[in-house]
């Protein structure tokens, strides 16, 4: 069995959530870890490249994930 070490790629800073995402009643930690480690979720090629560029320039990083329920959540680090 192969194991992969996934490391955070940038500081998260203060974490907040909107009332709408909290109302979904899901554990958001797995999505925060994905975002923090560079798995940007459901983004197109241009947005993924913008995130890569943002890592170098300490700009905004944006991720989008579609939940099993069909809801879409966004995570943004500024």
């Amino acid at each position: 069995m192969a194991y992969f070490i996934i490391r955070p790629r940038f500081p998260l800073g203060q974490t907040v959530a909107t009332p709408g995402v909290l109302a979904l009643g899901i554990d958001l930690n797995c999505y925060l870890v994905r975002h923090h480690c560079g798995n940007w979720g459901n983004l197109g090629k241009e947005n993924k490249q913008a995130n890569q560029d943002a890592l170098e320039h300490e700009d905004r990083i944006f991720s989008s994930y579609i939940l099993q329920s069909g809801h879409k959540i966004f995570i943004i680090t500024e």
Side-chain angles (χ1 to χ4, degrees):
M1 177 180 286
Y3 292 93
F4 297 94
I5 297 173
I6 300 173
R7 299 180 197 271
R9 301 192 57 200
F10 54 91
L12 279 178
Q14 181 181 9
T15 303
V16 297
T18 63
V21 83
L22 292 175
L24 295 173
I26 61 166
D27 182 3
L28 297 170
N29 286 319
C30 66
Y31 299 103
L32 283 171
V33 168
R34 288 173 63 185
H35 174 76
H36 199 197
C37 293
N39 176 327
W40 314 126
N42 265 4
L43 293 183
K45 186 177 178 179
E46 289 179 8
N47 286 323
K48 287 180 181 180
Q49 184 59 53
N51 281 347
Q52 290 301 121
D53 295 342
L55 288 172
E56 295 176 27
H57 303 289
E58 298 183 7
D59 288 334
R60 180 187 70 107
I61 299 170
F62 176 80
S63 295
S64 174
Y65 306 99
I66 298 177
L67 310 178
Q68 287 184 341
S69 64
H71 291 95
K72 184 184 281 191
I73 63 169
F74 301 98
I75 299 176
I76 302 168
T77 298
E78 301 230 7

